[in-house]
């Protein structure tokens, strides 16, 4: 049992209705807690929420579902069937990668199809790609099966996997591994870019993230009809069926700490809510810097948090187009376009904090799969560009740069979707400043603390806080890290740390 003393109260508070917070509430509800989820936004999902504008649904954050078994396990823990609540569609192909020279790489689940793609681009690299697949499976067994859903708040849990990490050369970056296996620079990019989807610089993130290639190959890439927002809404339904509450428009201003123990929260309107179990799905940096600003902290001081390397920011342009559903048949659900530079652009984003003129883009066209995202005959898109976060000495002034940068993005998208701008009927933009203000994300980072090897496992903010008893953390900023499978798995870790809810006195009497 990780809580020193059991209270007679079974009340639990979850701060934030992001996917990690909702998963935490489901897990706690299954353990008998009376859960109240408090969230400042107008709908659940956090970064996985959506905005509907002029008939177009813009899914604001994650767009794909990998490792469906983590959702199946979450629903099963609550006595439910995930697939009865969510219509999950497999993607084939997963995505297409495009380069400036006109070459492409189509990622699929079938191994022979992938080998054919490698052979088409660079025949000499087929053997190296096969080695990379073996690397990815080994990394999956150690890094995913062995660590993701296990508590890592004790240093020994990290120390005991170090021999395996050394054997797998986890000190090498994912880009370093790709370079060791294949020669073609396009393939090196295609095998190493995945950490960008969880906020990591492929030049520095551990090669353990090769496990993503195995996850895709083994379990596929999926899309949830209705978007990730549909998953969030289904999670709310489960929580309420357990007797829990989800309150939108309720912002927590402070976690109340007394004698080193979490006792509840105070909202921005002054209301105080008591509970002996508090789970924060707010960013770990915001949790410690803001929500615990009046409590003494031993490890996660403001200076300690400031010294961390944070994930990059995101510039995301959402737009709808009129009458285009049958146009651009070669542009699928997921397309990735590459700048002429790969490593140089990464250095500008993660190290220099420079907003470069060139860019690599992720183009999301969900209307290819899901007609509910747009009016009949129309399309819904979003285009995402990795950019520097706001924590550099001379941060990007997005009030001045947003429209200028959007014009540059437009010119780049034109190469893939010719003439699209003439059909735009509605649009909106999110910059790192919006991530800071909407999601209370330190430095406007898209994915909290960057997942470098010395910022992972024990080195990351723990799921069980060392700063206050009865306080727990879930979500991207804690173990196991960012990405939807990671934040869902953080709630599984939570369930292993928190005992079943105590039987309150009233229930004891009723039972007698």
């Amino acid at each position: 049992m990780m809580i020193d003393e059991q209270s007679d109260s079974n009340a639990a508070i979850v701060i934030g209705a992001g996917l990690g917070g909702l998963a935490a509430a489901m897990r706690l509800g299954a353990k008998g807690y009376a859960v109240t989820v408090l969230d400042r936004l107008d709908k659940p999902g956090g970064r996985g929420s959506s905005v509907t504008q002029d008939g177009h649904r813009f899914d604001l954050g994650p767009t794909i579902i990998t490792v469906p078994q983590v959702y199946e396990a979450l629903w099963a823990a609550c006595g439910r069937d995930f697939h009865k609540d969510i219509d999950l569609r497999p993607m084939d192909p997963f995505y297409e990668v495009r380069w400036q020279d006109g070459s492409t790489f189509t990622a699929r689940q079938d191994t022979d199809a992938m080998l054919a793609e490698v052979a088409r681009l660079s025949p000499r690299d087929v053997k190296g790609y096969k080695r990379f697949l073996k690397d990815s499976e080994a990394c999956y067994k150690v890094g995913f099966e062995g660590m993701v859903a296990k508590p890592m708040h004790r240093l020994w849990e990290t120390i005991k996997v170090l021999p395996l990490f050394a054997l797998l050369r986890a000190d090498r970056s994912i880009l370093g591994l790709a370079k060791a296996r294949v020669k073609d620079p396009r393939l090196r990019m295609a095998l190493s870019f995945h950490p960008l989807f969880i906020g990591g610089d492929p030049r520095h993130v551990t090669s353990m993230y090769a496990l993503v290639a195995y996850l895709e190959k083994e379990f596929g890439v999926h899309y949830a009809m209705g978007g990730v927002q549909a998953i969030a809404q289904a999670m709310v339904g489960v929580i309420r069926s357990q007797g829990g509450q989800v309150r939108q428009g309720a912002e927590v201003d402070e976690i109340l700490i007394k004698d080193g123990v979490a006792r509840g929260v105070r909202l921005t309107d002054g209301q105080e809510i008591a509970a002996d179990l508090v789970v924060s799905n707010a960013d770990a940096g915001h949790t410690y810097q803001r929500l615990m600003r009046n409590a003494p902290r031993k490890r996660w001081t403001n200076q300690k948090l400031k010294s961390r390397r944070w994930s990059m920011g995101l510039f995301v342009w959402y737009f709808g187009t009129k009458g285009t559903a049958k146009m651009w048949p070669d542009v699928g659900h997921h397309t990735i376009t590459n700048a002429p530079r790969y490593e140089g652009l990464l250095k500008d984003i993660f190290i220099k904090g420079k907003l470069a003129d060139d860019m690599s883009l992720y183009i999301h066209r969900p209307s290819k799969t899901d007609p509910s995202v747009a009016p009949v005959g129309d399309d819904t898109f979003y285009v995402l560009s990795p950019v520097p976060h706001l924590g550099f000495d001379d941060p990007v002034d997005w009030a001045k740069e947003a429209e200028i940068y959007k014009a540059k993005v437009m010119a780049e998208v034109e190469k893939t979707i010719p003439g699209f701008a003439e059909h735009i009927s509605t649009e909106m933009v999110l910059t790192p400043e919006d991530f800071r203000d909407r999601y209370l994300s330190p430095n406007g980072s898209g994915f909290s603390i960057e997942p470098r090897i010395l910022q992972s496992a024990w080195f990351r903010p723990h799921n069980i806080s060392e700063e206050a008893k009865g306080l727990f953390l879930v979500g991207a900023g804690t173990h196991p890290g960012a990405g939807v499978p990671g934040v869902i798995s953080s709630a599984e870790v939570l369930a292993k740390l928190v005992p079943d809810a105590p039987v309150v006195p009233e229930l004891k009497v009723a039972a007698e």
Side-chain angles (χ1 to χ4, degrees):
M1 182 181 298
M2 306 312 301
I3 299 175
D4 287 347
E5 297 179 6
Q6 272 193 317
S7 166
D8 284 338
S9 170
N10 66 354
I13 290 171
V14 176
I15 304 168
L19 298 177
L22 295 173
M26 290 171 66
R27 291 279 184 179
L28 293 176
K31 294 173 78 68
Y33 287 89
V35 185
T36 300
V37 182
L38 303 166
D39 190 84
R40 66 194 299 268
L41 300 179
D42 63 346
K43 61 179 64 173
R47 287 171 172 81
S49 61
S50 67
V51 168
T52 298
Q53 182 172 293
D54 299 323
H56 294 265
R57 189 189 72 241
F58 298 124
D59 298 312
L60 298 180
T63 62
I64 63 173
I65 299 299
T66 56
V67 206
Q69 64 265 34
V70 302
Y71 310 90
E72 294 163 354
L74 173 61
W75 256 250
C78 302
R80 303 282 288 263
D81 182 348
F82 173 70
H83 294 285
K84 287 186 177 179
D85 289 342
I86 300 297
D87 180 4
L88 212 58
R89 304 286 178 92
M91 296 282 97
D92 185 26
F94 297 160
Y95 47 82
E96 182 183 61
V97 184
R98 299 185 177 191
W99 287 275
Q100 298 281 323
D101 63 1
S103 58
T104 64
F105 182 84
T106 301
R108 297 179 182 272
Q109 188 168 9
D110 182 75
T111 301
D112 289 340
M114 289 291 282
L115 288 170
E117 283 292 289
V118 172
R120 182 177 57 79
L121 273 183
S122 179
R124 64 176 177 166
D125 283 323
V126 170
K127 184 177 179 180
Y129 175 69
K130 290 179 178 179
R131 288 187 66 193
F132 182 85
L133 288 180
K134 290 181 179 179
D135 294 329
S136 69
E137 182 176 3
C139 290
Y140 164 79
K141 290 179 178 178
V142 174
F144 195 90
E145 288 186 346
M147 296 180 67
V148 163
K150 293 184 178 179
M152 300 297 292
H153 60 285
R154 293 191 176 95
L155 183 57
W156 169 244
E157 296 298 329
T158 297
I159 290 174
K160 69 183 184 182
V161 300
L162 291 181
L164 285 173
F165 270 45
L167 185 65
L168 295 173
R169 287 296 312 274
D171 60 306
R172 181 168 50 186
S173 73
I174 180 63
L175 179 56
L177 173 62
K179 286 182 175 181
R181 296 295 180 253
V182 297
K183 302 300 182 185
D184 191 291
R186 295 168 300 179
L187 285 178
R188 288 175 170 178
M189 175 271 160
L191 299 183
S192 68
F193 77 90
H194 297 90
L196 288 166
F197 287 124
I198 56 169
D201 179 353
R203 299 173 315 125
H204 293 108
V205 166
T206 171
S207 59
M208 293 299 294
Y209 281 97
L211 64 84
V212 175
Y214 184 81
L215 290 177
E216 290 184 344
K217 176 179 175 295
E218 190 70 10
F219 307 116
V221 172
H222 304 79
Y223 174 82
M225 298 299 283
V228 173
Q229 179 74 79
I231 296 180
Q233 295 287 5
M235 295 171 88
V236 170
V238 174
I239 293 164
R240 288 177 173 158
S241 75
Q242 295 170 325
Q245 302 179 55
V246 179
R247 293 176 53 185
Q248 302 296 151
E251 181 176 350
V252 173
D253 181 59
E254 186 174 0
I255 297 170
L256 302 176
I257 308 292
K258 183 178 180 181
D259 299 326
V261 180
R263 294 301 186 190
V265 300
R266 181 185 297 112
L267 306 186
T268 53
D269 65 5
Q271 180 187 3
E272 294 187 359
I273 305 174
D276 290 342
L277 176 60
V278 178
V279 179
S280 182
N281 182 220
D283 189 285
H286 181 76
T287 298
Y288 287 127
Q289 287 180 312
R290 174 67 189 177
L291 301 183
M292 291 188 66
R293 62 189 180 277
N294 293 319
R297 285 171 278 143
K298 298 171 288 188
R299 185 184 185 194
W300 295 107
T301 62
N302 290 354
Q303 187 59 39
K304 174 82 168 180
L305 289 164
K306 187 177 180 180
S307 70
R308 300 300 85 190
R309 286 194 172 274
W310 291 79
S311 63
M312 78 285 194
L314 301 173
F315 177 94
V316 197
W317 180 25
Y318 309 84
F319 57 87
T321 54
K322 190 74 174 173
T324 61
K326 294 183 179 180
M327 297 177 66
W328 315 300
D330 63 321
V331 179
H333 193 128
H334 305 289
T335 305
I336 298 163
T337 69
N338 277 279
R341 302 179 304 147
Y342 181 44
E343 294 188 61
L345 180 59
L346 292 173
K347 187 174 182 179
D348 283 347
I349 294 168
F350 286 93
I351 305 301
K352 295 182 178 180
K354 173 188 174 185
L355 188 62
D357 289 328
D358 59 340
M359 63 194 70
S360 292
L361 302 175
Y362 164 56
I363 301 173
H364 182 225
R365 190 185 188 183
S367 38
K368 270 286 189 178
T369 304
D370 185 355
S372 73
V373 301
V376 176
D378 297 352
D379 266 319
T380 293
F381 291 89
Y382 91 39
V383 178
L384 180 151
S385 176
V387 295
H389 62 63
L390 302 173
F392 291 93
D393 291 337
D394 185 21
V396 176
D397 182 351
W398 285 103
K400 294 180 179 178
E401 296 292 339
E403 285 300 314
I404 298 171
Y405 194 71
K406 190 184 82 172
K408 294 176 181 178
V409 172
M410 183 182 295
E412 192 62 35
V413 174
E414 176 71 24
K415 299 175 184 177
T416 300
I417 315 176
F420 82 99
E422 301 169 9
H423 300 273
I424 292 177
S425 57
T426 190
E427 61 181 312
M428 60 176 280
V429 166
L430 290 184
T431 73
E433 292 181 353
D434 295 301
F435 277 76
R436 177 196 63 199
D437 300 338
R438 178 180 173 85
Y439 304 121
L440 306 179
S441 179
N443 302 315
S445 295
F447 305 91
S448 192
I449 296 171
E450 187 184 358
R452 294 192 176 201
I453 194 166
L454 293 181
Q455 295 189 160
S456 300
W458 182 85
F459 300 100
R460 208 167 180 81
H462 298 160
N463 303 97
I464 181 169
S465 175
E466 59 267 71
E467 305 293 0
K469 293 179 181 177
L471 175 62
F472 298 81
L473 278 70
V474 294
T478 186
H479 174 70
V484 182
V487 301
I488 298 293
S489 295
S490 70
E492 185 176 351
V493 175
L494 171 75
K496 294 174 180 177
L497 297 172
V498 175
D500 290 345
V503 179
V504 298
E506 291 80 5
L507 294 181
K508 290 178 182 177
V509 171
E512 293 171 358

